[in-house]
Amino acid sequence: MGGLLKKLVWQDYALLVLFLVYVIFQINLVSQFQQMPSPLYGGDYYHQMGAVNHVIYGGAPFKSFTNELTTPNYSPIYGFLVGNMARVFNLNAMNAMFIFSFIVIFFSMLITYWFSNAVFKNKSLALISVLIFVRLAFFPILKYRELTLFILWPLFFLSVYKLLKTRKYMWALITGVIWGIGSLSHMAFFPMAIFFMPFMFIFMYYIDFVKIKKKKFKINISKLKKEWYKPLLLLLVVFFIGFIIAQVYWFQAIFVYHGQVPNPEPKLRHIDLGQASAIFGYFGTHFKNLFFHFKDGQSPWVWSLSSILITIGTISLFLIKKFKFRDHFLILIYASAFIIPLHFLLTVPIMGFHMDPYLMQLFFYRILSMLIVPFAILVIMEVFSKFEFTKYIPYLLIGILLIFNVLDFNYRVENYKWYQTGKSPLAPYLIDASTWLTRYTGIEDMFIAPKEIGSAVNGISGRKFLAVRGNQESLISPVFERQGDLAVILYGNNTDTQKTLLKKYNVKYLYWDYYWLRAEFQFDKGGALVGYFDPLYVRDTPENRQYFKENGVAYTPENMAIDPSSRNNPLVPKLDMLVAYPPQFDMGHPWSYSLDKFLIEIQSFSQDNQVLAKVYEVRI
């Protein structure tokens, strides 16, 4: 232990101090939260809390936490880790998520520091990478995407760097394992790593078999004939290990549905990148986020400085006369960060879908900024190497970035509206409902309610619902079929069909909330219906029209975007849908009276002497 401490330098201690500084700021923030800093209805953090609650109360971590299907919507690693941590230390879901955020900060700092130092062999630059990548304003981390982005994503590229540098099978194995686990942490990790592998292939063959002499490329043919298989074998190890582990989550989507998953909502809630205006808009965003990111609602100060340095680093890459391995690696990251998000230019016209290029842009740009910024600082130091002050530039940048991180954090705390929401308590009747549901119902029990109500109650209790918000459903969930069946159960008048469907889905309870109608429809101050929030809908087909008519479901045809958050965006695809209506707009009894035959009220939840929610047991 003493020998290890002697090897530590001031930057290592500075990293620990930086972590403690972050902890102080974060404790001051999260200690004020009385609920998740997120919207209750449709909010990502509450949906993630549903996954954590699912594990806390005994649910299988790799099974859907919203319904009876086998694949969850949110990738399972976050829920598995935080849920089991909560079980071990007897924590509730929200507190476990807040505490886990500190663990993410620590390991993200450590991995970023290790990665940057491995590339630049300079611990001062590594500290700068930490301040660029692990920004104070990005925390707390309360969701699977950020866990992946801040830990597994840089860890993957660290292992890639080691693999490309050493060409050892150990690193190929590690890279494959990280890719596989990453694919269980975020579904986008899987295709991003696949798209990245051709870049690795080209890089390895270029480094091994191509030389540049007098600005001319020369291929070492004799070496290529003897050793052509070596890089390929390393990549095959990475691919097979990663692919096999990923099948824990991806098997059904690939081998059962062959990519044609039943849930179309993930691709239908994004802008239509088949439109020329959307494509040009994307390219504008592509360049802006990299070089001109001066206005940002989360981290404006650090983004502004990093955009300037990224521009300097980018120009410098094209001016290098003698390349080091480090420089080749930076070009590899740069090329992949720029090209991979543009995959939609091929996949949309050929296959009709894309893998969320905006998300890919986010992931690749964060890694790029982590590496290009310290590279730009190196360039600046070389340009001004004759001056004495040059050696102090890294220290100056560390201080400036720390100040900018604090400024960004304060800006975020003051301006992010959901932080203000988090500082107020959850409605008491919802707390009572959560307590009762987790105590007296089972983790596999099926509930029925409107989608937004289902999402909210699933978040605070981990209980399952026949349908939840469409973008929070599993990829393999036939969302339109389930919504159609739910509409027949709730709003139809055919008791035989209602009974059949209640048995089909093994429905145990109906959950009523005073917010029921507003969770589906929009009303003016006079109570008149003026629009939709998130109603039950199915595709407008003759079969679905007949299904609704036969079972007494009132409906209206609409051409609409199906995601409430993007309904007014003209670039988001609009579909012909049938929107189901309740038989009466009665806040206390919006479902069909024919359903009452199967319902018995067993619990109610009040606030200010008003009953705001009830649970009915389904008895057939």
Side-chain angles (χ1 to χ4, degrees):
M1 186 67 179
L4 177 63
L5 291 175
K6 289 181 180 179
K7 293 180 180 179
L8 297 179
V9 294
W10 72 265
Q11 292 95 335
D12 303 321
Y13 292 106
L15 181 69
L16 178 60
V17 172
L18 182 63
F19 170 69
L20 295 176
V21 169
Y22 274 42
V23 167
I24 292 170
F25 277 95
Q26 288 294 312
I27 288 177
N28 183 57
L29 174 63
V30 301
S31 63
Q32 301 178 57
F33 290 147
Q34 301 182 62
Q35 63 167 302
M36 299 301 290
S38 166
L40 174 62
Y41 297 100
D44 289 347
Y45 291 165
Y46 273 105
H47 187 53
Q48 185 67 81
M49 191 164 76
V52 175
N53 273 318
H54 173 74
V55 175
I56 289 175
Y57 294 106
F62 293 95
K63 187 179 178 182
S64 174
F65 56 91
T66 57
N67 56 40
E68 79 285 1
L69 300 174
T70 54
T71 303
N73 171 42
Y74 277 10
S75 303
I77 291 296
Y78 182 96
F80 172 78
L81 293 175
V82 181
N84 281 293
M85 183 183 80
R87 288 168 66 101
V88 170
F89 296 101
N90 195 28
L91 302 168
N92 64 40
M94 187 175 75
N95 287 335
M97 292 169 74
F98 288 146
I99 292 171
F100 189 74
S101 180
F102 294 103
I103 298 173
V104 174
I105 294 173
F106 177 79
F107 282 103
S108 183
M109 283 185 168
L110 198 62
I111 292 166
T112 303
Y113 186 69
W114 181 15
F115 182 22
S116 182
N117 187 53
V119 174
F120 296 103
K121 306 296 187 294
N122 186 313
K123 290 188 174 182
S124 295
L125 295 180
L127 279 175
I128 290 172
S129 290
V130 171
L131 288 162
I132 287 289
F133 188 74
V134 191
R135 301 182 197 177
L136 182 59
F138 290 161
F139 295 85
I141 295 301
L142 303 171
K143 187 181 169 186
Y144 75 111
R145 186 184 73 178
E146 281 68 30
L147 168 66
T148 311
L149 176 61
F150 285 104
I151 290 186
L152 290 165
W153 192 237
L155 189 61
F156 173 73
F157 280 97
L158 169 61
S159 66
V160 166
Y161 179 83
K162 293 289 189 179
L163 169 62
L164 297 177
K165 183 79 172 176
T166 66
R167 305 302 176 88
K168 292 182 178 180
Y169 281 97
M170 178 191 73
W171 283 109
L173 177 64
I174 292 172
T175 303
V177 170
I178 295 170
W179 173 25
I181 295 174
S183 300
L184 305 181
S185 183
H186 196 295
M187 66 177 68
F189 203 117
F190 184 68
M192 286 192 296
I194 290 178
F195 289 159
F196 184 66
M197 291 198 72
F199 290 85
M200 292 176 62
F201 178 85
I202 295 170
F203 180 91
M204 296 172 82
Y205 275 79
Y206 174 80
I207 294 295
D208 288 357
F209 306 119
V210 177
K211 301 295 180 183
I212 301 178
K213 290 186 177 181
K214 298 180 180 180
K215 298 183 180 181
K216 292 183 179 181
F217 290 91
K218 185 177 180 181
I219 300 175
N220 189 333
I221 301 296
S222 60
K223 184 179 181 183
L224 179 62
K225 289 180 178 178
K226 294 178 181 178
E227 302 180 7
W228 64 268
Y229 62 91
K230 290 184 178 180
L232 187 60
L233 285 178
L234 288 168
L235 289 175
L236 287 174
V237 170
V238 174
F239 180 81
F240 282 114
I241 295 295
F243 188 85
I244 290 170
I245 296 174
Q247 296 320 297
V248 173
Y249 183 86
W250 279 93
F251 179 83
Q252 289 196 73
I254 295 174
F255 294 105
V256 177
Y257 296 103
H258 309 291
Q260 303 300 314
V261 292
N263 184 2
E265 291 222 17
K267 66 179 181 181
L268 294 175
R269 62 191 174 94
H270 297 294
I271 65 173
D272 181 4
L273 287 169
Q275 300 183 44
S277 57
I279 294 174
F280 285 118
Y282 177 81
F283 273 101
T285 304
H286 205 39
F287 284 98
K288 170 185 168 294
N289 285 346
L290 191 59
F291 301 115
F292 307 105
H293 203 153
F294 299 116
K295 293 183 179 180
D296 183 85
Q298 191 171 13
S299 179
W301 286 89
V302 177
W303 267 126
S304 298
L305 179 58
S306 63
S307 291
I308 295 170
L309 293 172
I310 286 171
T311 302
I312 294 172
T314 300
I315 296 171
S316 302
L317 277 176
F318 290 98
L319 300 178
I320 295 175
K321 294 181 179 180
K322 189 175 181 181
F323 283 85
K324 301 176 183 178
F325 180 86
R326 175 201 68 199
D327 305 324
H328 287 299
F329 182 74
L330 292 179
I331 291 174
L332 167 68
I333 300 299
Y334 203 103
S336 59
F338 192 80
I339 296 172
I340 288 176
L342 300 178
H343 69 278
F344 68 89
L345 295 174
L346 291 176
T347 61
V348 169
I350 295 174
M351 294 177 281
F353 70 91
H354 58 74
M355 295 288 187
D356 196 348
Y358 285 100
L359 182 68
M360 290 186 172
Q361 187 184 101
L362 168 68
F363 271 69
F364 278 103
Y365 280 9
R366 292 287 176 84
I367 288 292
L368 184 62
S369 64
M370 177 208 298
L371 298 175
I372 293 295
V373 167
F375 174 74
I377 295 170
L378 277 180
V379 171
I380 293 171
M381 292 174 66
E382 289 180 7
V383 170
F384 296 100
S385 59
K386 295 181 180 180
F387 299 94
E388 180 68 20
F389 71 84
T390 303
K391 63 183 180 181
Y392 299 109
I393 290 177
Y395 314 138
L396 178 64
L397 260 294
I398 290 171
I400 291 174
L401 282 169
L402 180 57
I403 293 170
F404 280 9
N405 265 282
V406 173
L407 291 173
D408 283 344
F409 176 77
N410 289 333
Y411 176 85
R412 175 79 166 168
V413 170
E414 292 171 4
N415 292 279
Y416 186 52
K417 68 176 183 178
W418 296 114
Y419 280 178
Q420 310 314 314
T421 299
K423 294 176 183 179
S424 60
L426 193 65
Y429 86 93
L430 289 172
I431 297 174
D432 293 341
S434 172
T435 301
W436 188 90
L437 290 169
T438 55
R439 183 175 297 171
Y440 295 108
T441 67
I443 194 65
E444 298 297 333
D445 288 346
M446 180 65 70
F447 286 71
I448 51 174
K451 293 180 293 181
E452 295 290 338
I453 300 291
S455 290
V457 177
N458 171 260
I460 62 177
S461 68
R463 269 42 188 175
K464 299 187 174 186
F465 282 78
L466 177 53
V468 295
R469 189 182 180 100
N471 63 358
Q472 295 179 347
E473 291 274 18
S474 166
L475 284 175
I476 66 167
S477 177
V479 291
F480 295 146
E481 176 187 336
R482 294 175 74 94
Q483 288 190 48
D485 289 344
L486 180 57
V488 169
I489 293 173
L490 294 177
Y491 302 149
N493 58 17
N494 188 326
T495 55
D496 290 336
T497 306
Q498 288 173 320
K499 182 177 180 180
T500 299
L501 292 173
L502 290 170
K503 286 183 176 180
K504 174 184 176 181
Y505 292 105
N506 195 24
V507 177
K508 300 289 187 183
Y509 304 98
L510 180 146
Y511 179 91
W512 169 82
D513 191 289
Y514 82 100
Y515 194 72
W516 183 303
L517 292 176
R518 286 194 292 160
E520 296 196 281
F521 305 99
Q522 294 174 339
F523 304 90
D524 63 17
K525 293 181 179 179
L529 177 65
V530 295
Y532 304 113
F533 179 44
D534 196 9
L536 297 173
Y537 46 64
V538 295
R539 297 297 291 267
D540 187 352
T541 65
E543 294 78 13
N544 285 332
R545 288 187 177 221
Q546 184 66 25
Y547 183 51
F548 276 0
K549 287 179 181 178
E550 288 177 350
N551 292 285
V553 178
Y555 67 86
T556 184
E558 294 284 354
N559 182 259
M560 60 190 293
I562 58 179
D563 185 3
S565 64
S566 56
R567 190 158 291 146
N568 296 322
N569 188 335
L571 296 177
V572 173
K574 290 180 170 54
L575 303 175
D576 292 326
M577 309 298 293
L578 301 178
V579 177
Y581 281 74
Q584 62 279 330
F585 282 84
D586 180 348
M587 185 179 72
H589 196 297
W591 62 88
S592 171
Y593 288 110
S594 64
L595 187 61
D596 288 343
K597 176 181 179 180
F598 308 108
L599 302 179
I600 297 177
E601 181 183 335
I602 59 173
Q603 186 66 28
S604 63
F605 308 100
S606 300
Q607 183 176 318
D608 298 328
N609 297 318
Q610 286 187 305
V611 176
L612 299 181
K614 297 177 182 179
V615 175
Y616 294 81
E617 185 177 359
V618 174
R619 294 185 183 178
I620 302 175

